[in-house]
Amino acid sequence: MKKGQLTQYKIITITAVLVVLACSFAIYLRLFTEKELWYEMFAAVLGVIITAIITMILLRGQSDNDVERERASKIFGEKLKIYQEYLCTLCDVIKDRKLTDEEKIRLEFQTSYVAMHCNPAYIVKISEAVRDLIKYCCPDESDGGQKRINPNLSMSDSPDPLLNSLFCIVEAFRKDLYGDNFNFKYEDTMATLVNFSSAYRNAKSDDDNEGDEIAQQVEATTQNYDADQWDDALQKWEKQGWNLEGLSDRYDGFRLVNRTGNPGIINVGFWHGHYYIQASYRNDSDFSKPLKWEKGGRRNYGQWWQYLAEPYYDIPERQFVETFKSNKNLQQYITDYMNLLIDIESRHHRTVTWKDKVKRYENWKIFIWYWDMLACEYENEEEGIPYMDIIEKDKSGIVLIQLANRQNDMAKLRNTLKRIGCENKEKQENGYVILEEVHSVMAEDVAARVNYWIDKIRL
């Protein structure tokens, strides 16, 4: 200690001597006068003080940044480790399809580790997903021990509830790790979930060899139904390309899927204490919106669903098949609903085939209106927003391509007609001008003529 103090004292002494010598030489050599020397010394000292202060601020800021960066890095690593361990813990506690007291305690402690770091808003979402996951994988015996599914997802192309819940948890973790701006795109998420879920459903497990017997089960359960209504309906739907799956002891509900290329799905399932009917067509909201407008219920993208009406609203869970077999009125109610939805699915699919063949043009909006009509709208205010409605005429096999404008301005419509060389065409009572009658309902034929007229109308 004394040695250190002595060394520091020597340094200060030598520095002072050198400063005095430098000042003496400056005066002796007449570099500065005594007055100028004090001025220059003051300026030098002031410069040194300012430089020292700035350097100290910069060093402190850099030091704080380094500390914060190191802290953030450690927290991020710790979060990542805890979140991974949480998922591993979830897997361990639910893989045997039951939750013991020891496993509950383990999961609760692991949850507390997550809560230590995770944003409270995300903890709520995680807790909801974990609740649904445990309900699905470890059902409560007092609740019948049955797994439930989300009615907003169709049966045959819906994500597995376990996988769906895990994605919700992972999304919350990722937002907490990488920021609120991170979001899974809905389309990408659904495609990923459906692909994995479909793969799992189609794969055989060692303890599940009943997959090859679904067809025999469906046939065995439907043979006892009233041949005058249900069997006739099944045969009719079969001819239309729709196959029945489920309606058995294994699947207390059913779905209708199409084998001819129509991606629509119709199904009956259970959610929140009641059975529902659902129809979906990919993620096409043009399909589900008119259904909600017409029938009520709820919708989400291309999916629409509604609970069964009275007196079938309160059918107990796991009792649908039994009730259906013994209740001809329920059979008729379901049959009528299926006929309606199959008709809508088929009509919408036919219009979709037209839409898919139509080219995409700038400033043109192309959509489907109430399943049967293909609408092509030109965003041109000067001509009153011209649009074409394409629809089959009274199931005659003749497709009408009709022109009008949103402002219902006949003068502007006439300007459009004159510009495209159709000034001699007359306005119909319904407000349209028929541009052409296409004597075919084939998608290639209809779309070719629609593309032709769009090319003529657009500026």
Side-chain angles (χ1 to χ4, degrees):
M1 186 73 177
K2 290 182 179 181
K3 185 176 180 180
Q5 290 179 347
L6 182 62
T7 302
Q8 185 177 10
Y9 176 77
K10 286 183 178 180
I11 292 173
I12 295 174
T13 302
I14 293 172
T15 301
V17 171
L18 290 175
V19 170
V20 171
L21 288 175
C23 292
S24 299
F25 275 111
I27 295 173
Y28 178 76
L29 297 175
R30 297 183 178 180
L31 297 176
F32 303 106
T33 64
E34 292 183 6
K35 183 178 180 181
E36 290 174 341
L37 177 63
W38 288 111
Y39 172 79
E40 295 295 337
M41 286 184 62
F42 178 78
V45 171
L46 185 61
V48 170
I49 293 174
I50 294 174
T51 302
I53 292 174
I54 293 174
T55 302
M56 181 181 67
I57 293 174
L58 292 175
L59 289 175
R60 178 171 295 179
Q62 182 178 357
S63 177
D64 291 343
N65 290 337
D66 291 341
V67 171
E68 185 61 29
R69 190 180 298 110
E70 183 179 358
R71 176 176 175 273
S73 176
K74 289 182 178 180
I75 291 176
F76 182 89
E78 188 68 18
K79 279 187 176 183
L80 191 60
K81 179 181 177 182
I82 289 174
Y83 295 165
Q84 289 172 339
E85 289 178 352
Y86 189 77
L87 293 174
C88 291
T89 302
L90 270 177
C91 178
D92 290 341
V93 301
I94 68 173
K95 63 184 179 182
D96 58 355
R97 301 289 179 176
K98 61 182 179 180
L99 206 58
T100 64
D101 291 339
E102 181 180 349
E103 289 171 337
K104 291 178 184 177
I105 294 174
R106 181 184 173 191
L107 187 58
E108 287 170 355
F109 270 94
Q110 198 67 39
T111 302
S112 69
Y113 300 151
V114 171
M116 186 186 300
H117 294 285
C118 193
N119 187 309
Y122 301 137
I123 294 175
V124 174
K125 296 179 180 179
I126 293 169
S127 66
E128 291 173 350
V130 171
R131 177 197 62 195
D132 293 340
L133 183 148
I134 292 177
K135 277 187 178 180
Y136 175 76
C137 294
C138 307
D140 188 353
E141 294 180 358
S142 63
D143 195 29
Q146 304 301 328
K147 302 171 185 177
R148 297 182 178 181
I149 53 178
N150 190 331
N152 290 329
L153 303 170
S154 57
M155 299 298 181
S156 65
D157 63 349
S158 66
D160 178 78
L162 170 60
L163 193 60
N164 189 44
S165 297
L166 288 174
F167 258 64
C168 292
I169 296 172
V170 170
E171 182 176 11
F173 283 159
R174 289 200 61 167
K175 283 186 176 182
D176 186 63
L177 288 170
Y178 303 115
D180 290 333
N181 293 330
F182 170 80
N183 278 297
F184 284 126
K185 288 185 178 180
Y186 178 82
E187 295 81 3
D188 295 340
T189 301
M190 289 300 299
T192 302
L193 291 174
V194 168
N195 288 338
F196 277 114
S197 300
S198 177
Y200 299 155
R201 291 190 185 101
N202 294 332
K204 281 188 176 182
S205 61
D206 294 336
D207 59 349
D208 185 10
N209 296 317
E210 298 179 359
D212 297 333
E213 302 175 0
I214 293 179
Q216 290 103 350
Q217 289 180 353
V218 171
E219 182 179 358
T221 54
T222 57
Q223 285 175 348
N224 296 325
Y225 295 164
D226 186 345
D228 292 337
Q229 57 181 26
W230 184 247
D231 284 349
D232 288 347
L234 290 178
Q235 293 176 12
K236 174 185 174 183
W237 299 337
E238 178 74 20
K239 291 179 181 178
Q240 295 174 343
W242 294 86
N243 292 340
L244 177 74
E245 297 178 358
L247 203 60
S248 64
D249 293 337
R250 185 182 179 194
Y251 183 3
D252 190 52
F254 69 87
R255 58 179 172 240
L256 287 172
V257 295
N258 191 281
R259 66 177 187 278
T260 63
N262 185 335
I265 304 293
I266 305 169
N267 55 279
V268 171
F270 188 86
W271 178 251
H272 280 185
H274 307 283
Y275 284 91
Y276 63 88
I277 290 178
Q278 177 177 268
S280 64
Y281 190 95
R282 296 189 299 213
N283 288 325
D284 192 350
S285 58
D286 287 344
F287 168 79
S288 60
K289 284 181 180 178
L291 263 174
K292 183 176 181 180
W293 296 335
E294 289 287 315
K295 306 296 292 183
R298 302 179 185 179
R299 59 166 294 273
N300 181 36
Y301 290 89
Q303 298 165 339
W304 168 89
W305 66 278
Q306 185 178 60
Y307 285 123
L308 301 186
E310 295 289 357
Y312 316 115
Y313 180 74
D314 290 319
I315 296 176
E317 188 175 6
R318 304 300 299 174
Q319 297 298 314
F320 178 80
V321 171
E322 181 180 348
T323 306
F324 185 84
K325 290 179 180 180
S326 61
N327 191 323
K328 293 183 180 180
N329 290 331
L330 176 57
Q331 292 178 28
Q332 187 63 56
Y333 171 77
I334 295 296
T335 301
D336 292 343
Y337 232 128
M338 294 300 105
N339 285 329
L340 170 68
L341 295 176
I342 286 174
D343 178 61
I344 292 175
E345 292 271 14
S346 301
R347 290 155 53 193
H348 187 78
H349 178 64
R350 198 273 300 274
T351 312
V352 167
T353 62
W354 297 353
K355 179 183 176 184
D356 289 344
K357 294 291 184 179
V358 174
K359 298 177 183 178
R360 296 299 177 261
Y361 297 88
E362 186 177 0
N363 298 326
W364 280 82
K365 181 181 178 182
I366 300 174
F367 58 96
I368 295 173
W369 184 251
Y370 270 86
W371 316 300
D372 297 310
M373 181 180 290
L374 179 63
C376 303
E377 183 177 276
Y378 186 26
E379 298 177 355
N380 184 339
E381 293 284 348
E382 293 180 359
E383 295 190 357
I385 310 179
Y387 66 92
M388 293 189 298
D389 283 344
I390 300 93
I391 191 169
E392 184 182 3
K393 180 181 179 181
D394 301 326
K395 298 184 179 180
S396 61
I398 298 175
V399 176
L400 301 178
I401 300 180
Q402 308 167 112
L403 179 67
N405 62 48
R406 296 297 180 199
Q407 296 177 4
N408 198 25
D409 189 322
M410 191 59 196
K412 291 184 178 180
L413 180 59
R414 283 297 174 193
N415 290 337
T416 304
L417 291 170
K418 183 177 180 180
R419 182 170 59 79
I420 64 177
C422 297
E423 59 269 23
N424 294 328
K425 294 184 179 293
E426 296 296 328
K427 183 178 180 181
Q428 306 297 305
E429 292 181 0
N430 57 10
Y432 289 108
V433 173
I434 298 177
L435 296 177
E436 182 179 354
E437 293 184 354
V438 182
H439 291 262
S440 172
V441 295
M442 299 299 294
E444 293 80 4
D445 299 331
V446 174
R449 301 312 300 166
V450 172
N451 289 329
Y452 168 80
W453 286 108
I454 291 179
D455 283 330
K456 286 183 70 69
I457 295 171
R458 67 194 182 105
L459 295 172

